[in-house]
Amino acid sequence: TIQTGTFNYCSALETISLPYSLTTIQEQAFRNCSTLTSITIPENVTHIGAYALQNCTGLPSITCNAMIPPTLGAGVFAGIDKTIPLYVRKFSIDAYKAAEQWSDFSNFLPVSVPTYGTCGENLSWSINEDSTVLTITGTGAMYDYEGVLNGNLWIGCTTPWYDYADKIIVVNLPE
């Protein structure tokens, strides 16, 4: 959790790297950080408090990797140009377009997703250039992945390669 007002009025702050494990950004956390030029909200964030990004007028875009749009307190994006790109997971664009305050944005774009990463202790995954072949290498147990629902609506799956699911033709599981 990023606590209330942690970076409020940090007027020289340009970039912040938020950890994957982050689940909550409390109210006014980045309020009035007018020189902030980059923010990526991690996929585990479920709530952003009131006025958390108010007047972050230097943002040329916002990226949110959460498959389900985080719930928002009042005025989270107050003072931010709603025509800047909002990058979200491609299978989640409709959910963001329907979510309160997120729907105020007009320029929804699919976020760039990684083409490789880890998927378990001593396990790696990669996708080939045309996104048709998924290869998983290494030894050990794979992380547990689950489906993601927004109410009764299927949003997707938490596998890191889910954004390629509609293109994958071959899965390689070498010994």
Side-chain angles (χ1 to χ4, degrees):
T1 298
I2 296 179
Q3 300 298 327
T4 299
T6 301
F7 302 103
N8 191 4
Y9 285 100
C10 285
S11 59
L13 182 63
E14 294 179 2
T15 303
I16 184 137
S17 297
L18 301 174
Y20 173 83
S21 59
L22 183 68
T23 59
T24 303
I25 299 172
Q26 291 189 345
E27 50 274 350
Q28 300 182 27
F30 298 101
R31 184 175 181 225
N32 296 310
C33 294
S34 59
T35 59
L36 189 64
T37 59
S38 175
I39 190 162
T40 298
I41 300 163
E43 64 189 67
N44 290 321
V45 171
T46 59
H47 180 74
I48 302 172
Y51 308 104
L53 294 169
Q54 180 184 20
N55 295 326
C56 291
T57 55
L59 287 170
S61 66
I62 295 172
T63 299
C64 187
N65 287 323
M67 291 186 80
I68 295 175
T71 59
L72 303 175
V76 168
F77 304 114
I80 294 176
D81 179 1
K82 305 306 184 295
T83 64
I84 65 171
L86 177 59
Y87 292 96
V88 299
R89 303 285 293 267
K90 75 176 180 178
F91 291 104
S92 301
I93 289 175
D94 288 341
Y96 279 85
K97 285 182 176 181
E100 190 173 336
Q101 290 187 70
W102 295 105
S103 62
D104 295 343
F105 288 89
S106 61
N107 191 6
F108 294 86
L109 296 171
V111 69
S112 295
V113 293
T115 57
Y116 62 92
T118 59
C119 56
E121 193 169 325
N122 301 317
L123 284 177
S124 298
W125 70 275
S126 63
I127 196 92
N128 70 331
E129 191 172 304
D130 64 359
S131 305
T132 60
V133 179
L134 171 65
T135 302
I136 298 174
T137 57
T139 59
M142 187 176 287
Y143 297 139
D144 288 331
Y145 296 107
E146 52 191 50
V148 178
L149 296 174
N150 187 5
N152 290 329
L153 178 65
W154 170 262
I155 297 292
C157 182
T158 59
T159 58
W161 52 83
Y162 183 75
D163 287 278
Y164 301 104
D166 59 339
K167 296 179 183 174
I168 296 172
I169 298 170
V170 175
V171 175
N172 288 329
L173 300 170
E175 290 186 40

